[in-house]
Every structure is written in structure tokens, then in C-alpha cells.
Amino acid sequence: MSDEEKMEQLENQEEETNENESNEQKLPFFLEALFTLSQIIIILTGGITAVVSLMADVSYLQVILRASLALLVMGLLMWLVNWYSIRATLNSVEENLQDWQKQEPTGEQLNL
């Protein structure tokens, strides 16, 4: 294979990759921001709990238990917040689709 053929193959692969990436479904910005914020809050909570526990001069076992419990509780709370947000977003999209179907009857029904 010549260098030109190799370059053409690489360019074709890059084009296919870009097409595949553009076809992927992406979450709305609000949900992406909420997921990121949730992860940051969970990590900071565990870290701050561990640091404060170390400063309070408790045993390492208590530091681990406190940080683990803080991570577990905040993880569950953030999961709940994200779940409600996703559910509300999906309900909103479903209502918009139903309104759109009422306004533009095409004879086809979307099964949600």
C-alpha cells in the first residue's frame, strides 16, 4: 500500500467516526449539568467528611466509616434528584409529542 492509500483510508475512517458521533443521542444540557454537579457534590462530601474527621483526631476506622456513610447518603440523595429530573423531562417530552400529534395528524401514532 502506498502512503496516499493509507492517508485515504485514515480520512475515510475519521469521516465515518464523525458521522457516528453526530448520530448519537445526547442528553439535554440541563441533565448533563445536573449529573456533573451531582458527581462533584458526592465527591466533595466524601472528601470534606474525611478531612474534617482527620482534623478531629479520630481513628482511621471512624474516618473510613464516616466518609463511606457520607458518600452512600449523598449518592442516594443525588440518585433520587436525578431520577425525578429525568422523569419530569420525559413527561414533558411525552406531553410535547402528544400535543404535536394532535396538531399535525398524519394517521400514524407514536407508541411511547
Side-chain angles (χ1 to χ4, degrees):
M1 268 181 145
S2 69
D3 289 336
E4 291 176 13
E5 291 175 352
K6 289 180 183 179
M7 289 298 288
E8 283 182 35
Q9 283 183 343
L10 285 175
E11 288 174 3
N12 290 338
Q13 288 176 351
E14 287 177 6
E15 288 175 9
E16 289 176 8
T17 304
N18 291 338
E19 288 176 10
N20 291 339
E21 288 175 359
S22 65
N23 291 335
E24 292 179 6
Q25 295 285 334
K26 293 189 178 182
L27 291 175
F29 176 75
F30 168 72
L31 292 179
E32 287 284 347
L34 188 62
F35 291 157
T36 303
L37 184 64
S38 298
Q39 290 175 349
I40 291 170
I41 289 172
I42 292 168
I43 291 170
L44 285 177
T45 301
I48 290 171
T49 303
V51 169
V52 169
S53 296
L54 285 172
M55 290 173 61
D57 223 15
V58 296
S59 69
Y60 291 122
L61 179 61
Q62 284 184 341
V63 171
I64 292 170
L65 289 175
R66 289 178 182 184
S68 300
L69 186 62
L71 287 171
L72 178 66
V73 169
M74 286 307 294
L76 290 173
L77 286 174
M78 290 297 118
W79 173 80
L80 192 63
V81 168
N82 286 321
W83 181 72
Y84 277 123
S85 300
I86 291 171
R87 196 171 106 189
T89 303
L90 289 176
N91 287 340
S92 173
V93 168
E94 183 179 15
E95 289 174 10
N96 289 341
L97 283 174
Q98 289 173 354
D99 290 343
W100 178 75
Q101 282 180 345
K102 289 177 185 175
Q103 292 174 358
E104 308 240 353
T106 60
E108 296 179 16
Q109 293 292 324
L110 293 176
N111 295 326
L112 300 175

